[in-house]
């Protein structure tokens, strides 16, 4: 799917990415990406992060080494200004960079889930989980685990109060990868519709998209998932099941 972009005003609206506030999206995205790079989540320019502030969406660009990203590398768009997903309009565009192919997937999290932040990683543990699911007797399109303490890090679902409990089952759908990232949009949206309580979607042999109502919640859930994925890989080595019948 070819997507074109329209530049913003001639002054490039640099005021949108200039702030002394460390929590401003243009400052926070580079900081988060540096953190994620140390975890091996965004190596080789892969992965990315986007933050929504009311109608404005701040996006990491394509092709930039995430540990070196700066606020002036950030794209900004208005959700209300988007009338054609194949012709995206940006309020602010870095002069020598390209928009991320992740943009329509980030937008799905913002428009369908009212998320405040969406994180995309190429975590090796996430990829391994999709490969293990692929090798099951019946190829699985779902990762499920229960009776693990870290599950408490996840909300019960969009617009639902409270978090999952220790005995609850955490379910993360898996979709198939495509040659071009933007072409994942329709299947990601289908997974969101089919599993309305999920806060993440795995992409087989690729990585994961994780979102939350706030930056804090999205980051917490991304970290909790990576912990659970690593644990699940080690459990499989020991022939331990991901689902157990322990009762409270």
């Amino acid at each position: 799917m070819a997507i074109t972009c329209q530049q913003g005003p001639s002054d490039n609206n640099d005021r949108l990415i200039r702030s002394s506030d460390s929590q401003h999206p243009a400052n926070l995205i580079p900081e988060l990406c540096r953190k994620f790079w140390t975890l091996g989540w965004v190596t080789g320019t892969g992965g990315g992060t986007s933050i929504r502030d009311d109608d404005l969406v701040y996006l990491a660009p394509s092709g930039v080494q995430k540990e070196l990203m700066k606020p002036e590398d950030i794209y900004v768009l208005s959700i209300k200004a988007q009338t054609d997903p194949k012709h995206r309009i940006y309020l602010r565009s870095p002069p020598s960079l390209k928009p991320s192919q992740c943009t329509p997937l980030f937008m799905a999290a913002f428009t369908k889930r009212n998320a405040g932040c969406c994180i995309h990683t190429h975590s090796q543990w996430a990829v391994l989980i999709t490969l293990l699911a692929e090798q099951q007797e019946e190829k699985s399109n779902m990762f499920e685990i229960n009776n693990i303490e870290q599950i408490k890090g996840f909300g019960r679902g969009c617009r639902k109060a409270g978090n999952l409990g220790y005995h609850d089952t955490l379910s993360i759908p898996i979709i198939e990868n495509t040659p071009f990232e933007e072409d994942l949009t329709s299947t990601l949206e289908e997974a969101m519709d089919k599993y309305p309580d999920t806060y993440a979607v795995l992409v087989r042999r690729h990585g994961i998209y994780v979102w939350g109502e706030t930056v804090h919640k999205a980051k917490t859930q991304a970290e909790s998932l990576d912990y659970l994925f690593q644990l699940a890989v080690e459990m499989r080595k020991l022939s331990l099941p991901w689902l157990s019948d322990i009762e409270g």
Side-chain angles (χ1 to χ4, degrees):
M1 177 176 66
I3 295 180
T4 60
C5 65
Q6 180 175 320
Q7 302 293 328
S10 57
D11 66 0
N12 206 22
N13 272 333
D14 284 350
R15 60 181 176 76
L16 294 172
I17 53 90
R18 290 176 180 161
S19 174
S20 59
D21 182 1
S22 63
Q23 299 305 299
H24 187 280
N27 295 326
L28 199 51
I29 288 174
E31 180 183 344
L32 289 170
C33 284
R34 283 191 290 273
K35 166 70 172 176
F36 298 157
W37 181 80
T38 67
L39 298 173
W41 289 1
V42 293
T43 54
T45 79
T49 301
S50 181
I51 296 173
R52 180 178 65 86
D53 182 10
D54 195 17
D55 178 58
L56 297 182
V57 173
Y58 296 77
L59 301 127
S62 175
V64 171
Q65 293 179 321
K66 298 303 186 290
E67 76 278 16
L68 302 178
M69 190 186 304
K70 303 179 292 296
E72 50 264 39
D73 297 331
I74 301 299
Y75 281 83
V76 185
L77 61 76
S78 162
I79 294 177
K80 293 177 182 176
Q82 309 308 307
T83 57
D84 182 355
K86 294 183 180 180
H87 184 72
R88 209 162 296 284
I89 300 170
Y90 291 90
L91 295 176
R92 197 269 169 185
S93 302
S96 58
L97 298 174
K98 296 188 300 183
S100 171
Q101 284 200 7
C102 302
T103 299
L105 294 103
F106 290 147
M107 293 296 288
F110 299 141
T111 58
K112 294 180 75 68
R113 286 292 184 272
N114 198 33
C117 177
C118 187
I119 297 166
H120 173 46
T121 86
H122 289 183
S123 161
Q124 293 183 33
W125 300 113
V127 174
L128 283 170
I129 285 298
T130 69
L131 293 174
L132 289 173
E134 186 178 65
Q135 295 302 312
Q136 294 181 9
E137 285 188 19
E138 293 187 9
K139 183 177 177 181
S140 177
N141 293 320
M142 182 72 70
F143 167 74
E144 292 186 304
I145 192 168
N146 65 3
N147 294 313
I148 299 293
E149 182 71 10
Q150 199 71 23
I151 290 171
K152 293 180 180 179
F154 297 88
R156 290 194 171 276
C158 183
R159 298 182 178 88
K160 291 185 178 180
N163 282 25
L164 294 177
Y166 168 67
H167 293 297
D168 289 325
T169 297
L170 175 68
S171 301
I172 307 295
I174 304 171
I175 62 175
E176 300 302 324
N177 197 24
T178 56
F180 298 100
E181 188 130 12
E182 59 205 21
D183 293 336
L184 289 167
T185 307
S186 60
T187 51
L188 180 90
E189 291 178 337
E190 287 171 8
M192 287 179 165
D193 291 338
K194 188 174 181 180
Y195 304 101
D197 291 335
T198 189
Y199 283 96
V201 173
L202 283 157
V203 184
R204 203 180 308 275
R205 297 173 174 264
H206 180 151
I208 189 169
Y209 282 84
V210 186
W211 56 87
E213 293 92 339
T214 65
V215 174
H216 173 76
K217 288 184 178 180
K219 179 175 177 288
T220 297
Q221 292 176 159
E223 292 171 344
S224 296
L225 275 174
D226 213 55
Y227 169 91
L228 289 168
F229 293 155
Q230 182 174 0
L231 181 67
V233 170
E234 298 299 326
M235 289 171 71
R236 183 58 59 89
K237 290 179 184 177
L238 298 170
S239 299
L240 297 173
W242 295 341
L243 295 172
S244 56
D245 57 3
I246 299 173
E247 297 180 0

